Amino acid sequence: MHMKKLLLILFLCITGCASAEKQSEPKLLLVSFDGFRYDYLSKTDTPNFDKLVKSGVISDGLIPVFPSKTFPNYYAIATGLYPENNGFIGNNMFDSEMGLFFSMGDREQVENPEWYGGEPIWNTVEKNGKKAGTMFWVGSEAPIQDMRPTFWKRYDGRVPNKERIDTVLHWMTLESDNEIDFGTLYFSFVDSQGHRHGTESQEVIEAIQEADELIGYLLEQMKKKNLLDNTNLMIVSDHGMADVSRERLIVLDDYIDPKDIEIISSSPVIMMNAKPGKLDEVYSALKAGEEHYRVYKKENLPERFRLKNHTRTPALIMIADLGYTINTADFISERENYPSGGTHGFDNQEKEMHALFLASGPAFKEGLRVEEIESIELYELMAYLLGIEPASTDGNLENSLNMLKERL
């Protein structure tokens, strides 16, 4: 009997210590507002974002990968790899080896792990004995490396925004072994209003205000659940936004016969293949008329785009200057108000394409503004904050350590 009591006391001490240790290990919550440009916080009052700016770190911008589209950038953030190294070269792609097309609306391909190279952060978390829960992050719906996060959701834009927050915070506070250490949240409405109405519209201002209210709700709920003091919060976006108009059009028919090409991905970066025997003719004609755009054969793409060394990158890439739109005469004539509002996808060096980065929590310095950082740097920073061994990436952790109070 005496021995049983000793063993029970020992067991309680061990489990109690383990529980206390888990409680003390900071969690990480990654939040993204799609299409939230680097300067949107200056467009209106944002008291809740301002609290985080005061208590944490904000950068002059988050530099997206090229093309500055949604799927390539969310997956670059998740893996720390450029598109040519993780395979995600666009929102639309063709893989000649698989004989398959990828598009954002094709549920079968979105969940096909063959499209996704590299190791996403949620896999790294799970491999290191921790738990992850993803709410609508690109790649998290597919069994990459034959794995899934402990919790994940198929994308459903109808799910109310506060419900998304409630769900992830529930995962973070489960009283079981499934309590997550890393979570993601995603919201699309800022991007939607930017596309529809343009960056200077009242609708975008109201979307920014709505985002601020959601941050307020998030912080309030984190406080109620005792997560504020033990959670590092990173708020990001995938890209910025630039205004377009019908006065800035590049009509493909003015240079080539559209029947000679197959467009894989659309404006402002046209990724296309030429019909057999037509490549040099198409390229030469586009090159001769080069104004308000640049055209490259795949092998001649500038190295800084980090795009040409993947089999999915097609033979020709045509890049519109900021604010310009490329399309065929038929497509334009059938749409009286095309183009209007805003869009993205332009050269990632354009400032208007740069996104938001804001971080706050126990690991981050207070009231610090830093220079622009690249989105591919975030994976290693996240792994470091979680105390886990990262996979190989294109990022460099040293570029992010200046944001932290001390080396962990």
Side-chain angles (χ1 to χ4, degrees), residues 23 49 72 78 183 189 197 207 225 236 246 254 275 330-331 390 399:
Q23 183 85 12
F49 278 111
F189 59 89
H197 303 287
K225 293 178 179 292
V236 302
R246 205 169 174 86
D254 292 345
K275 297 292 175 66
D330 284 348
F331 190 95
N399 294 334

Side-chain angles (χ1 to χ4, degrees), residues 122 126 131-135 149-152 168 171 180 182-184:
W122 49 87
E126 300 278 348
K131 304 289 184 181
T134 54
M135 178 64 78
T150 298
F151 298 104
W152 62 281
V168 174
W171 295 341
I180 66 170
F182 169 73
T184 72

Side-chain angles (χ1 to χ4, degrees), residues 52-343:
L52 294 176
V53 171
K54 187 175 180 180
S55 67
V57 179
I58 189 167
S59 77
D60 290 334
L62 185 65
I63 304 172
V65 298
F66 179 82
S68 49
K69 294 275 192 175
T70 295
F71 269 56
N73 275 282
Y74 277 120
Y75 200 57
I77 290 171
T79 60
L81 296 171
Y82 291 112
E84 66 181 4
N85 292 329
N86 67 29
F88 242 88
I89 65 156
N91 286 347
N92 299 282
M93 303 178 284
F94 175 70
D95 189 298
S96 58
E97 295 176 3
M98 293 193 288
L100 294 173
F101 283 92
F102 178 97
S103 69
M104 296 186 297
D106 185 336
R107 175 51 49 187
E108 182 179 355
Q109 297 312 315
V110 165
E111 295 186 26
N112 179 355
E114 296 302 315
W115 290 103
Y116 303 87
E119 180 173 297
I121 185 66
W122 49 87
N123 279 11
T124 308
V125 168
E126 300 278 348
K127 286 181 179 182
N128 280 269
K130 293 177 181 282
K131 304 289 184 181
T134 54
M135 178 64 78
F136 304 159
W137 204 273
V138 169
S140 65
E141 300 163 281
I144 301 166
Q145 299 176 326
D146 295 320
M147 295 178 64
R148 291 189 189 272
T150 298
F151 298 104
W152 62 281
K153 294 282 187 180
R154 283 188 174 89
Y155 183 72
D156 182 353
R158 298 168 298 179
V159 177
N161 291 326
K162 287 185 177 179
E163 184 179 320
R164 303 179 192 195
I165 291 172
D166 294 339
T167 299
V168 174
L169 295 188
H170 173 67
W171 295 341
M172 297 180 79
T173 52
L174 286 171
E175 294 181 0
S176 72
D177 289 339
N178 282 335
E179 174 187 328
I180 66 170
D181 305 278
F182 169 73
T184 72
L185 278 165
Y186 168 80
F187 306 101
S188 63
F189 59 89
V190 177
D191 181 73
S192 299
Q193 298 293 28
H195 278 297
R196 291 174 190 151
H197 303 287
T199 63
E200 301 303 316
S201 65
Q202 181 61 29
E203 288 83 357
V204 163
I205 289 175
E206 290 171 1
I208 297 166
Q209 292 167 343
E210 182 180 349
D212 187 71
E213 290 170 6
L214 277 176
I215 290 298
Y217 179 77
L218 172 64
L219 295 176
E220 175 186 301
Q221 296 306 307
M222 289 177 69
K223 184 176 181 180
K224 285 182 180 179
K225 293 178 179 292
N226 298 317
L227 286 168
L228 268 184
D229 295 335
N230 197 43
T231 303
N232 288 305
L233 183 62
M234 287 173 51
I235 303 173
V236 302
S237 187
D238 49 346
H239 53 69
M241 189 73 67
D243 294 325
V244 292
S245 73
R246 205 169 174 86
E247 284 69 51
R248 289 175 289 182
L249 277 171
I250 299 160
V251 183
L252 282 169
D253 308 56
D254 292 345
Y255 310 97
I256 61 171
D257 184 345
K259 294 178 182 177
D260 290 339
I261 61 171
E262 180 186 24
I263 295 176
I264 307 297
S265 187
S266 59
S267 189
V269 176
I270 304 289
M271 296 190 187
M272 56 189 159
N273 288 316
K275 297 292 175 66
K278 292 288 186 177
L279 177 61
D280 288 336
E281 179 183 334
V282 169
Y283 172 74
S284 296
L286 289 172
K287 192 69 178 174
E290 206 170 42
E291 184 178 5
H292 302 305
Y293 69 85
R294 288 161 290 160
V295 64
Y296 302 96
K297 288 185 176 180
K298 173 180 178 175
E299 60 269 24
N300 295 327
L301 268 173
E303 292 291 340
R304 69 178 181 84
F305 289 138
R306 301 302 299 265
L307 195 67
K308 70 181 181 182
N309 294 316
H310 199 281
T311 57
R312 291 174 191 158
T313 304
L316 288 172
I317 295 89
M318 188 176 177
I319 307 168
D321 287 354
L322 187 72
Y324 280 81
T325 301
I326 308 170
N327 222 311
T328 63
D330 284 348
F331 190 95
I332 294 165
S333 64
E334 291 168 2
R335 294 161 177 82
E336 183 179 351
N337 295 319
Y338 174 87
S340 62
T343 197

Side-chain angles (χ1 to χ4, degrees), residues 15-63:
T15 55
C17 291
S19 176
E21 183 180 352
K22 183 171 180 59
Q23 183 85 12
S24 66
E25 292 176 351
K27 299 175 182 291
L28 176 61
L29 181 56
L30 177 65
V31 181
S32 182
F33 292 95
D34 197 317
F36 202 110
R37 203 168 71 182
Y38 77 98
D39 61 345
Y40 272 5
L41 293 183
S42 65
K43 285 186 173 291
T44 185
D45 291 336
T46 53
N48 295 300
F49 278 111
D50 292 348
K51 288 178 187 175
L52 294 176
V53 171
K54 187 175 180 180
S55 67
V57 179
I58 189 167
S59 77
D60 290 334
L62 185 65
I63 304 172

